Amino acid sequence: MLLINDLRRESSAVRAELHRAVQRVLDSGWYVLGREVQAFEHDMAGYCAVQHCVGVGNGTDALELGLRALGVGVGDVVATVANAGMYSSAAIVAVGAMPSYVDVDESLTMSPPALEEVLGSGVKAVIVTHLYGRMGSMRELVRICRAAGVPIIEDCAQAIGAELDGTAAGAWGDIGCFSFYPTKNLGAVGDGGMVVTSDEVVAERVRALRQYGWTRKYEATLPSGRNSRLDELQAAVLRVKLPHLAAWNVRRRAIADRYGGGIRNPAVRLPPLSDSAYVAHLYVVRTAEPEALRAHLSAAGIASEVHYPVPDYRQ
């Protein structure tokens, strides 16, 4: 069976480097928020061309702490989409806010005209999900949000390395949020996440919130803090993989293009052609007969899944 994810193949390409990185962490005797995390935050800031990166426990925490850093809380309304697996919805609900679901366009990412329609109804912030590795229409979405004075958060969990008009995913909005779950294009060997921003105040808030709201050790002065720290082992692993990411994304796009050139069934709708705004995190097709297609793929030895089977507003 051809698996959807076989992480052994990726790890084998950098196995010796990974072993050295893990040994380096073990030898250091420092396992949380140390030099590896600081170095990876520095590397990611350069990669995304932003001023600040803050490592956190996972991608959903990145979204939640990003919302809190922007002052979003109980009773506020956050615009998002309903076709992205509940991740933004979970973060919105966690801070006590309410999701307002915005329609998507043919790219399956947030529709700029649909967002413009809802911004006048008291929306406190916007979360745009770059879905399946494809960036949303950020130039239009940012313009709309800036005109309304509403901050915009990018959910970049599936789109690390994507670029639009020369600007990386995560550098368009007020905040960019990343997940390093093992199956992501840049994956750790456990959970991990990051908040990126060029706003120093926001960055300092997230740094405090990820560690109990401390502004100094054992002094919690910022409310709603928690324990959400990227550990040294994950940071060391991610530092090994980051220099390979661009080449891996090129390979992903090439595979997606091969699918696009070979699938000719009129009952199957293919994603748009590859470009720099697409890093082929997943190759998702659409059909009116999903179970028949899955059965056909299974018979050919190809695993498949539905992404995502239930929209957020039904959950």
Side-chain angles (χ1 to χ4, degrees):
M1 176 68 74
L2 180 62
L3 303 176
I4 294 177
N5 292 297
D6 188 351
L7 300 179
R8 295 168 298 182
R9 296 178 64 186
E10 178 187 271
S11 295
S12 66
V14 291
R15 188 173 300 278
E17 293 178 83
L18 290 175
H19 284 177
R20 289 192 294 269
V22 170
Q23 191 63 53
R24 185 173 68 242
V25 173
L26 294 176
D27 291 345
S28 76
W30 192 303
Y31 305 135
V32 176
L33 291 187
R35 292 179 179 177
E36 298 290 342
V37 170
Q38 292 171 5
F40 180 58
E41 289 174 339
H42 176 270
D43 294 347
M44 275 291 289
Y47 188 84
C48 296
V50 296
Q51 295 299 310
H52 307 281
C53 291
V54 185
V56 297
N58 55 69
T60 309
D61 281 1
L63 289 168
E64 179 185 337
L65 298 185
L67 287 168
R68 292 191 187 280
L70 292 174
V72 177
V74 176
D76 289 330
V77 175
V78 179
T80 187
V81 294
N83 65 326
M86 278 293 292
Y87 305 117
S88 63
S89 294
I92 292 165
V93 172
V95 304
M98 297 177 293
S100 174
Y101 295 114
V102 178
D103 205 353
V104 298
D105 57 25
E106 182 60 24
S107 71
L108 301 182
T109 63
M110 185 177 285
S111 162
L115 175 63
E116 202 159 24
E117 288 181 10
V118 305
L119 277 190
S121 58
V123 170
K124 185 70 174 286
V126 174
I127 297 179
V128 175
T129 299
H130 302 318
L131 195 63
Y132 307 143
R134 180 166 297 282
M135 289 185 66
S137 303
M138 291 308 299
R139 185 171 296 282
E140 294 86 352
L141 293 169
V142 168
R143 176 188 60 78
I144 291 166
C145 287
R146 293 287 180 266
V150 176
I152 184 169
I153 296 175
E154 296 175 72
D155 179 355
C156 308
Q158 299 184 8
I160 187 168
E163 290 187 356
L164 184 63
D165 297 338
T167 299
W172 281 89
D174 297 273
I175 290 175
C177 297
F178 291 87
S179 165
F180 303 118
Y181 186 75
T183 60
K184 296 297 190 285
N185 291 34
L186 182 65
V189 291
D191 272 316
M194 182 162 281
V195 174
V196 306
T197 183
S198 289
D199 186 319
E200 184 174 359
V201 173
V202 168
E204 288 304 313
R205 287 175 182 165
V206 175
R207 288 192 184 98
L209 288 167
R210 75 175 173 182
Q211 188 159 242
Y212 310 114
W214 288 351
T215 48
R216 291 196 304 175
K217 192 173 183 180
Y218 304 133
E219 293 187 18
T221 57
L222 199 62
S224 302
R226 60 182 316 158
N227 179 353
S228 180
R229 300 174 292 204
L230 181 64
D231 69 65
E232 289 285 278
L233 178 61
Q234 305 307 336
V237 167
L238 292 165
R239 287 183 67 198
V240 167
K241 292 184 174 184
L242 183 60
H244 299 276
L245 178 61
W248 289 346
N249 283 344
V250 168
R251 175 62 175 155
R252 284 174 175 269
R253 278 192 286 260
I255 293 170
D257 286 343
R258 185 172 180 184
Y259 290 154
I263 299 173
R264 287 289 180 266
N265 191 317
V268 177
R269 295 175 64 187
L270 305 182
L273 294 175
S274 297
D275 55 28
S276 63
Y278 178 56
V279 291
H281 173 62
L282 294 170
Y283 192 82
V284 179
V285 302
R286 285 181 279 173
T287 178
E289 303 177 73
E291 293 310 314
L293 177 57
R294 294 193 69 192
H296 171 73
L297 292 171
S298 180
I302 302 170
S304 64
E305 290 184 359
V306 179
H307 283 71
Y308 295 96
V310 185
D312 293 14
Y313 62 85
R314 291 183 180 173
Q315 304 196 59

